[in-house]
Amino acid sequence: FKSGDWINTLVVGAGERWSVSTTVDLLPRTDNGKINSSPISGTSPIIRLQQGCSYNLPIHTDDPDGDEVRCRWAQKGHPDQILSGSTFDSYDNDECAGVCNGVPGATLHSVPCTLVLPPALVGWYAVALVLEDFPSPEAKVPLSEVPLQFLLEVRPSERTDSSGSNTLSSGDSEESGSSDSVCSTSLSFTKTTLEDRICIAIRPGDTFSSSIVVTEHQTAVQLREVLLVAPIGLKKSSIRLYGSFQRGVQVTWKPSPEQYGQHVFCFSAMDETGYVAISNL
């Protein structure tokens, strides 16, 4: 699907057309006789970073069938694939239009999907990826291809100390990020917060409830918001004080009968300066 346009403030691809392309095979799989379910991701649509800092940004993915998920850069005119034994006719498969290679100097690791970002100039950047699911680690041909596109905003740092690096991931210890360097995180999730990549079973009629709590490492910078990518119907409380330099929210969710199945729930913490200091994406 093609249309336009990207925002005119992008460092690469300003005002250019956008394009997304997906490939699926509706025939039953040869290994289990079922229709394949494509991979999913709970990545936030906008991720804010600090100028002068490098980042390891995990792209959290999941697959309802338990297949291996690999990610790659979207390509302009990606060659046709043979998916699940079916050959698709030739067509213009433009996966990224004006934002191919939209983040200069970035490196992408396929498994687990991780975006390594070098220090970048202030501005907006579009990331165009493709998620592919494979029935086994040895498989060479994907079962499906799903686009994933989001924005990075690199903002001027309000801190003046030496630069460093950040890993945007959950499960940090409460002591992490206590450095005063320009790239140190101002927030970190407490150990009582949900761990990364866990699977929680909810019985029919039950209500899921959990606290998302962060420790504030700088007295002048507090938690401003907990951002969610969540199932329909999940509720979030206002920010509460949980202890000395600890704030957070309570989330609850009672699934409806129509919501039977697997769902992605991701969250990130934003400080008062607007930076997503730590993230479970």
Side-chain angles (χ1 to χ4, degrees), residues 167-248:
T167 298
L168 296 187
S169 62
S170 69
D172 296 333
S173 68
E174 297 185 21
E175 290 76 21
S176 67
S178 59
S179 169
D180 290 331
S181 72
V182 65
C183 296
S184 63
T185 178
S186 59
L187 308 171
S188 66
F189 289 120
T190 64
K191 296 178 180 178
T192 59
T193 298
L194 293 172
E195 296 181 0
D196 191 13
R197 299 182 184 275
I198 65 171
C199 182
I200 300 174
I202 306 174
R203 295 179 179 178
D206 287 354
T207 299
F208 164 75
S209 179
S210 184
S211 297
I212 301 173
V213 182
V214 300
T215 296
E216 300 164 340
H217 297 289
Q218 301 177 19
T219 56
V221 182
Q222 296 181 346
L223 173 67
R224 186 175 78 180
E225 187 177 358
V226 173
L227 307 171
L228 303 180
V229 177
I232 295 175
L234 187 140
K235 298 179 181 179
K236 178 183 70 174
S237 72
S238 58
I239 294 178
R240 304 172 180 177
L241 186 64
Y242 280 82
S244 180
F245 302 108
Q246 292 186 350
R247 287 180 171 81

Side-chain angles (χ1 to χ4, degrees), residues 68-149:
E68 178 177 271
V69 179
R70 307 173 197 170
C71 65
R72 60 172 174 82
W73 293 109
Q75 302 176 36
K76 194 176 186 67
H78 180 62
D80 296 331
Q81 299 265 8
I82 300 177
L83 304 181
S84 302
S86 298
T87 304
F88 290 82
D89 294 334
S90 177
Y91 62 98
D92 181 16
N93 191 11
D94 186 354
E95 298 176 331
C96 44
V99 295
C100 300
N101 304 313
V103 189
T107 302
L108 183 66
H109 297 295
S110 178
V111 181
C113 187
T114 305
L115 187 61
V116 180
L117 302 169
L121 298 175
V122 171
W124 289 85
Y125 299 82
V127 179
L129 307 178
V130 175
L131 307 180
E132 300 176 321
D133 55 337
F134 294 80
S136 69
E138 297 77 23
K140 303 298 183 182
V141 179
L143 296 166
S144 62
E145 300 172 323
V146 179
L148 175 62
Q149 299 184 7

Side-chain angles (χ1 to χ4, degrees), residues 20-60:
V20 292
S21 174
T22 185
T23 306
V24 297
D25 189 349
L26 300 180
L27 295 176
R29 295 173 53 153
T30 58
D31 55 354
N32 59 18
K34 299 179 180 179
I35 302 298
N36 182 62
S37 295
S38 300
I40 54 179
S41 174
T43 300
S44 299
I46 298 176
I47 299 174
R48 292 180 170 87
L49 310 174
Q50 296 185 58
Q51 179 189 17
C53 302
S54 59
Y55 290 86
N56 292 330
L57 179 63
I59 309 300
H60 289 189

